[in-house]
Every structure is written in C-alpha cells, then in structure tokens.
Amino acid sequence: MPVTPATPQTIERAAGLLRGGGVVAFPTETVYGLGAHAFDAKAVSRIFEIKRRPSFDPVIVHVADEAMLARVVREISQRARTLIERFWPGPLTLVFKRSDAVPLLVTAGLETVAVRMPSHPVALALLRASGVPLAAPSANAFGGLSPTRADRVAQAFGEQIDLIIDGGATPLGIESTILRLEPIPALLRPGALTVEEIEAAIGPIERNVSDESGPASPGRLPRHYAPRTPLRIVGPENVPLEERSHAGFLGMSRAPGGYAAARLLSPAGDLREAAAGLFEALHELDDLGLERIDAEPPPPRGLGLAIADRLLRASRNRTGYCQ
Ligand code: AMP
Ligand code: MG
C-alpha cells in the first residue's frame, strides 16, 4: 500500500509526483482529498477515472495563498475578499469566475470554479512544495462516504493512487461549506463552517437555493455521501424493539436498547465532535453488514445542518427517494 507518514521527505516526493501529473491523496482539515495538478487536464482526468466520478461533477481547486488564487480566478469581489480575510485558510469554498488556465474538465464545463485554501498543515505544505493549485475532490468512490483516515483511502483505492499521505484523522471530519457569491450569497452545500458564522461576517445568505441551476452544484445530488447499508433517519422512540435486532443505531449521546450495534457521535452533545466522527461512525456501521442503520436526527442548529444534510443524502435509495 502506498500509505506514507507525512514527513517533509514524503511531502517533497508527493509534490514531485503531482508536478509530473500524478495523483496523491492527502489530509485536509475537512476530509482526505484526492489531488492532481489543477492545470493538467490529463492528471485531473485520472481523478475522475479513479473515483468513477461523472464528468458533470466539478472539482474543488485548492490554493496555498492569494498569489495562487489569482492564477485560478478572473476576479475577486469585495465580498469575496471579506470572506477570505475572515475564514481562509479554512473549510469555506467560494465560487469564482474561472481563469483560462483552469481546464473545463475541472469545472465540468462551467465558467465558474470552486476554490478553497485549506488550513491543514500537511495540505498547505504540499500545495507550497508543489507550487501549483491542486484539484482535489474527497478521496472516496463517487457517491460513497468521505474518508477521514488514510487507511479508508487505501481500502477504497489502494495501488490506483501514486501516494497516500497519512496525516492522521482529519480534525473537522465533514466537507467544506460551499458558498456562491453571485448574484447574491447563497449556500450550495452546508459544511464545516456554519451558516451562523458566515452570516455574522457578511449578513444574511440565501439558504435554500433551488436546484434550478442544473449542474451548478452536483454535491447537491439527492443520493451522496452514502453507506452501502440502507439508512433511515428516525427517532429511536419510533422504532419497535423487534425492528432493532438486525439494525445499527447512529445517534448523538444516548444509545437505546435492542440494537445490534450503536455508535454515539458525542456523549457530551458537542456538534463539532459529532461532525468530526460522523463518516468514520458510518464506515464502521457499514462494515458490520447490518440490515439497516437508524440515524437519529441531529439538533437543527450550527453543524447540525451539515450533519443532517449528509444523513439525508445517505438515506436516499438509488432512485433518489428516502428509504
Ligand atoms: P467534493 O466532492 O467534496 O470535492 O465536492 C465538490 C463539489 O463542489 C461538487 O459536487 C459541487 O457541488 C461543488 N462545486 C465544484 N465546483 C463548483 C462550481 N463551479 N460551482 C458550484 N459548485 C461547485
Ligand atoms: Mg465528495
């Protein structure tokens, strides 16, 4: 397995591979990413191939600093500057007009590009050592659970990737928040930065963008971030005892009786801790081969919004309906 601890030597080696068109998995503060040179369409096409990602799903471009951002985007509005100043590096992805250097494969044919500056020291060191922006979606097969640990990446892709940099568990554990700024600020994907924090910086944002926009944000596909085991969102008080024995329970802080297995995201009721452990808990329950996973709805505030979004998408069956 090409999993290697994140030493300075590993980062140099990874940077060389990336400059030469390779594909490298690396930790960010959100989840593990599968990275390639963002200006190298051939390298990026390998990501699509490895992930079995449809070409209509655009990839987020990662930058180390504002000089790198300037190579990726055509212009930076005042509102974008305010957000960059306040939240970068960090788990906020912003949508800009793309520069000509960004291949249309990266943006799935859109004239816009989604960009973020990660705060994870390994991700930043890798971007700096590479000297090029990195197109990097989450390092999981399309539609599946995002990986928060290097061994999950190895399990999913193994030798298909040139190198997997192991930087330990990702601290936030849930993907970045995606914000479109034009014509008005609008939430495209709830994520690790809460809407409340964004609104404190720039005022009210549109929270319910309709899916009029077609390919504008495929992370909004009905079924996404899904385990193989059927999952439903349900309060345990509504599940009769006899329905529990072949099912797993995923909840915040208290485990009801009768389930074959249970994972609690935060005994102290801390949503940050819950978000950080969400995907790993789903991976673990998924590995048990149960008939079903019952997930308790999270509280509807702060990071609860991002957790609820992932659970809802995980709960839809392959036709897009809740199961
Ligand atoms: P991920 O797989 O976590 O890297 O997420 C990528 C997601 O970012 C896509 O599925 C889209 O929802 C979103 N995205 C990427 N580029 C754009 C863009 N130009 N405009 C809107 N959303 C985008
Ligand atoms: Mg993803």
Side-chain angles (χ1 to χ4, degrees), residues 248-291:
F249 174 77
L250 178 70
M252 281 293 286
S253 50
R254 92 205 133 80
Y259 278 100
R263 290 290 180 281
L264 297 180
L265 294 172
S266 175
D270 174 357
L271 285 170
R272 228 169 245 282
E273 187 185 22
L278 174 68
F279 285 123
E280 190 49 33
L282 282 168
H283 268 297
E284 285 173 9
L285 288 172
D286 204 18
D287 286 349
L288 298 177
L290 300 164
E291 261 173 28

Side-chain angles (χ1 to χ4, degrees), residues 47-55 57-60 137-138 142:
I47 296 182
F48 279 85
E49 206 181 331
I50 294 170
K51 276 190 63 115
R52 296 187 293 284
R53 186 176 176 108
S55 57
D57 194 2
V59 178
I60 294 171
S138 50
F142 182 72

Side-chain angles (χ1 to χ4, degrees), residues 36-51:
H37 186 332
F39 297 153
D40 181 342
K42 211 165 140 215
V44 176
S45 74
R46 267 191 70 201
I47 296 182
F48 279 85
E49 206 181 331
I50 294 170
K51 276 190 63 115

